[in-house]
Each structure stands twice: as C-alpha cells, then as structure tokens.
Amino acid sequence: MNTATVPGPSPDAAGDTGPGPDHVPVLVVGGSLSGLSAAVLLAHHGVGCLVVERRSGMGNHPRSRVLTARSGEVFRSLGLEPAIDTVSRRPSGWFQARTLADPVYTRLGPSGDPTRPISPAGSRLCDQNRLEPILLADARRRGARVLFGCELTSFDQDPHGVTARILDRSTGRSRTVRCAYLLAADGTHSPVREALGIELHGRRGEPRFLSTVFEADLDPVLHGRRPTAVVFPGREVLFARGTLREPLWEHGIPDSPFAAGASDGASDDALGRFARDRLREVTGLPGLEPDVRSVLRWGASAVVAERFREGRVFLLGDAAHTMPVIGGLGGNTGIQDAHNLAWKLAAVLHGNAGEQLLDTYDVERSRVAAHTLWHVLATARELPEALHPETLQLGYLYPDPAGGPDAGPGEDPYRPTGRPGSRAPHLWLRHDRGRVSVLDLFGAGFTLLAGPLGQRWLPAGARAAAGPGLPLAAYRIGGPDSALRDPRGTFPTRYGIGPTGAVLVRPDGYVVRRWGTAPHTRTALEHAVRTALERPAALSPEPARSA
C-alpha cells in the first residue's frame, strides 16, 4: 500500500461524516481549467467522477487567455462551441507602439487567426474565468459532482483503488472517498505531486511579472482599432480581455522596476498605485482613472514533471507541467491532457481495454509537454529551430501505436500526412444538412473512415463493432451514393490512402492505423483496435470496474 499525506491542515478523525467511504470511479483533485475539463470529458465517456476544489469558489482573475484551435476542437466535440462563442472573441493580431495613443502601430506577425484553414474551430481569446463556469455547468449537467471548499488531506493506493481523505474547509468535517483512480489537477505547487515525491525539471518562478486587469474607456486613443495585444518599450504588454461587448484589459509588466522601489511584501495599495501610473503612461492618457479589478504578481515557471503517473494517480495540467505565457499553451496543454486521459480511463473502467493502456498517457503527454516547453522557450529566445506555433497546437505527434518509426515531435499541420500517431486532419464535407468537418464524425468510440471506393470496409466495420467491447462507427467519405460528399476529392490524399483504403481514428481524434487499399476485413480492424487499446486479442471483455 502506498500512503501519502498531502501538505495542509489535518482533519480531526472524529469529524468523519460516516462509517463507510463514498465510492466514485474517478476522483479529480482541483476544480480549475484542467480539472473541470477532465470532469466534462469523463462524463462524456460515461464515467462518474467527483471533483474537489479547496477554494470556496472560482477566481475572478482571467489567467489563461488563449483558447487554441486544438482546444476549440475538443470543446466543439462536446457541443460547447456556441456557449464559448458568447464569452470570447477572435484574435486580430499583435502590434507594437510607444504608447496606445500613437497614430500608427507596427504589426507583429500575421493578422487574424492562421488556424482557420486547418481547423473547424479555430483559436479564440477566452478568459479562463469566463470559460470555467461553462465547464462547471456542463460537468454538473452530465452528472459529475463538483465540490468547492473541499480539500484532499491524504490518500493511499493499493492494487484495487485509492482511498482519499477529504476535508470540508467550512465545517471542519472530513469524509473518506474510495475511487479507482485519482487525477491531480491541483496546480503548479501540486500537493499530490509533492506527496508522491515526483520531481520537476526546469525553472520555477522566474522571471516575475505584475499583471493588472482593469476596465476603462480607451476609445479616445484606439480610434476603432481592436488589437489582440500591443507591446510597448520595456516589454510591457496590453492584452485585450473580455468580449467586444464587455471589454476588459490586462496590462503585464516585468515587475523589476517596481521591485527596485518596494519589497515583495508591498501592500495592495502600493501595487495599485504603481499599476495605475504605468497604465497612464502606456495608454497615453495622463488623466486615466481605470477601474482596476485585480492586481497579481506571479512567477513564470517553465517545468515538467519527471513522470505523469504513479500507480493509480495521474498528473495533468499545471500539476504535470507549467509553461511560460508565450503562445498561451499552458492551460491548453492541460485541456489536451484531460482529452487524452479521459477516453483511456473510460475504456479500462468499462472493461474494453487492458490496464496497460493507461501507461500510454505518460508516454504520450509527457513527450508533448517536454517538446512544447522546449519550443516555447526557443521561441522566446528567437532560436531558428523553434517549431511554428500552429505545429505546437495542431501538429504534435504521438508514437505510432503499431510501433512504426518515430516521426519526431511534430509535423506541419498545413501539410498533414494522416500517419499513425498524428491528429486526424480537418476537411470540410457536405451532406444533406449542410457542411460538416470530418472531425465532427468522431464520437466516444473509434471511427473508421473509408475512401470513396472503400464501401467494402463498411460491413467489415459493422461486424467489428458488433464484437464484444469494440465500439466503432464507420463512414465512407465521397464516392457513389455516399451521404458524406467530398467536393474536391481531397480526402484520400490528405489521409495518405488510396480510393479503396481506410483510416482508423481513436476517440481523441488521433490516427491509429491506415490501410492504403484492402484488406476490408473484420480481423484487421479488430487487431488494430485491440492494439490501440493495449489489449491482447484473447482477452475477453471485463465487467465495468467499481471503486
């Protein structure tokens, strides 16, 4: 038995709420972006979960701002895109100026959203404190339980599950929760990770920044301009926050000028005065009286945990990796951690996969996190080998499930290959109800996409789906009498197959296997799915696990 005490208050044993533990398949520790994403995705896959968050409620500081195209695809698959659109805006571009009142800004990089041609979702500017309530409501609608003001104080794991001790901070009473798996989404200073003794590699807490979120009428100097961000001398940046209807702004500055005149223990009033003075300077509005919502000092860590799994405990989000703010990839990488892990936990808990499938979470996501962090730092240093931002969002690669050669950390998403281990490329299709992305076909199970002359794959897919424990949907893309029309006939080329070939895609939208032509057989499909599930062919379906 592996017992760990989480740093924090120790509950009085006499305060336990009952003689026996609560039972839940998955316990999620941390109710912020990664934890709530995990709750929604687990519920989407039919897995019950309990989320405990030590804060009494959600924070009001916007924190993460960019929702990448890949994260947009995840939430689109969950039906959350319309709700997110109401609280977000599309990026318009970065600019450079001496002050916001300058008559002309210098553009930095491309305008708009370069991912729109390669993603049905595209990227957005969506404040984390506006996104999280959407995720919370959807998690609860789907049946997940989310408790605020509750803190994990200790846990121990054995071969059959995890026993966790939860403290209600408002009453001082504790409860015992028994779960099959525990997900630690409890932030950069993760008590769960520290209790497990998992080391971090990288740099923590430096450099430091001062971030001020405020409301003000900046139209007198903007003159109708709607920049995503403006960079000023001294590396100060003004970010657009909120929405076009309810605009907010965030001013970020390296806090060394302030630190020279005040200690780390500076009062909130002193921080506020300094922030207001800087806002008047960079906006070019000497009489500006901003409505300051929050002022926050924080350190820009760049770290990755040495492993993302310890037995039945998994790290995700900032507990597993903390990224610098460049490109907004930190929170998005956590969303994709949850996307990767949720379907695998569901497959194991529903008896459709072997336990070894869960090892692939660490293999895949630790690799992506390490490569992403390295290339973000390379971008900050303007190194020529840094990967393009769209590659980090949409082109990262997992190892080939069938053991093929390593293709490296990423590929150009504008020239997708459809190779095993890559994100299934986006392609607009037509059907009787209008336009649909091929990505919209992916559900909670595996998906078989056959070429325009691959109709013989469909009965093979139906027979494979009828087999025990192999959830599979099959579609033919283009060709005679197909309900899904490919107007430009580009599906085979984009996925690297012939007209009679097919591609197998796993639940998170990553390619498992592809066949250039036949075999059109149930055996080939079953073998490919079982390989993706890390499950021997002779393994019979297991009953759903209960904690």
Side-chain angles (χ1 to χ4, degrees), residues 397-402 405 407 417-422 510-514:
L397 299 173
Y398 294 144
D400 183 347
T417 63
R419 75 182 81 194
S422 70
Y510 267 71
V511 176
V512 171
R513 182 77 184 273
R514 61 180 176 179

Side-chain angles (χ1 to χ4, degrees), residues 384-427:
E385 58 266 38
L387 289 178
H388 200 274
E390 284 79 68
T391 299
L392 294 177
Q393 289 185 41
L394 298 167
Y396 59 81
L397 299 173
Y398 294 144
D400 183 347
D406 190 346
E411 66 177 19
D412 184 351
Y414 295 98
R415 296 176 178 84
T417 63
R419 75 182 81 194
S422 70
R423 162 186 165 269
H426 160 60
L427 176 68

Side-chain angles (χ1 to χ4, degrees), residues 181-205:
Y181 299 100
L182 186 151
L183 309 189
D186 50 346
T188 303
H189 303 289
S190 170
V192 173
R193 185 193 64 236
E194 293 180 359
L196 293 171
I198 297 177
E199 297 291 333
L200 293 174
H201 298 296
R203 182 192 67 207
R204 299 189 69 171

Side-chain angles (χ1 to χ4, degrees), residues 461-472:
R463 290 193 298 271
L470 298 178
L472 179 69

Side-chain angles (χ1 to χ4, degrees), residues 173-188:
R173 298 182 66 83
S174 64
R175 71 173 73 186
T176 300
V177 175
R178 178 70 175 169
C179 59
Y181 299 100
L182 186 151
L183 309 189
D186 50 346
T188 303

Side-chain angles (χ1 to χ4, degrees), residues 343 347 351-357 360 401-402 446 463-472 504 506 512-513 515 522-542:
W343 76 266
N352 294 332
E355 184 83 19
Q356 60 269 39
L357 172 64
T360 65
F446 286 77
R463 290 193 298 271
L470 298 178
L472 179 69
L504 182 67
R506 67 189 201 182
V512 171
R513 182 77 184 273
W515 298 268
R522 170 184 174 180
T523 302
L525 285 174
E526 287 186 346
H527 180 267
V529 174
R530 291 183 186 279
T531 298
L533 292 173
E534 298 285 324
R535 177 177 173 178
L539 183 64
S540 60
E542 299 173 358

